[in-house]
Amino acid sequence: MANSLRSEVVKLYKNLLYLGREYPKGADYFRSRLKAAFLKNKDETDPEKIKQLIARGEFVVKELEALYFLRKYRAMKQRYYSDDKP
C-alpha cells in the first residue's frame, strides 16, 4: 500500500511542477514553495493523512488550471473585443 501512495505523491509532485511553469510569480518561486510544502510533510506515515494531503494537492491542481484558463480567456477576450462602448 505504501508504494501505491508513494507513486501517487510523486505523480502529484510532477504534475504540480509542470503546472508551475506558467505561474504568475515565476517558476522558481513556485518550485521553491512546492518543494517546501512537500518536505514539510515528508515524514508522514499515516495512510489516511497522506490521502488527505494528496486530495488537497489535487485541489490545488484544479485551482491552478482554473487560474490559467481564466488568464487565457481574458487574453483572448482582450485581443478580439474592444472595451470601447459606442
Side-chain angles (χ1 to χ4, degrees):
M1 177 141 169
N3 283 339
S4 66
L5 288 177
R6 180 178 170 83
S7 65
E8 284 186 48
V9 170
V10 170
K11 180 181 169 185
L12 177 64
Y13 185 81
K14 286 182 179 182
N15 193 11
L16 283 166
L17 198 57
Y18 176 77
L19 288 172
R21 295 182 310 151
E22 296 181 34
Y23 195 70
K25 289 189 176 182
D28 292 333
Y29 173 81
F30 187 85
R31 187 180 311 116
S32 65
R33 298 282 304 255
L34 178 65
K35 184 176 180 179
F38 272 76
L39 286 176
K40 183 177 82 172
N41 296 307
K42 73 176 186 174
D43 295 326
E44 190 62 51
T45 56
D46 181 27
E48 291 302 317
K49 179 69 173 170
I50 293 172
K51 288 178 184 177
Q52 289 177 350
L53 292 168
I54 290 171
R56 184 185 304 167
E58 290 171 352
F59 176 77
V60 170
V61 166
K62 290 178 185 175
E63 289 292 317
L64 281 172
E65 288 174 344
L67 172 74
Y68 296 154
F69 287 137
L70 181 63
R71 187 173 66 180
K72 288 178 184 178
Y73 169 76
R74 286 182 178 163
M76 293 295 287
K77 184 177 177 184
Q78 186 179 30
R79 196 173 296 149
Y80 292 108
Y81 298 104
S82 65
D83 290 336
D84 299 334
K85 295 182 179 177

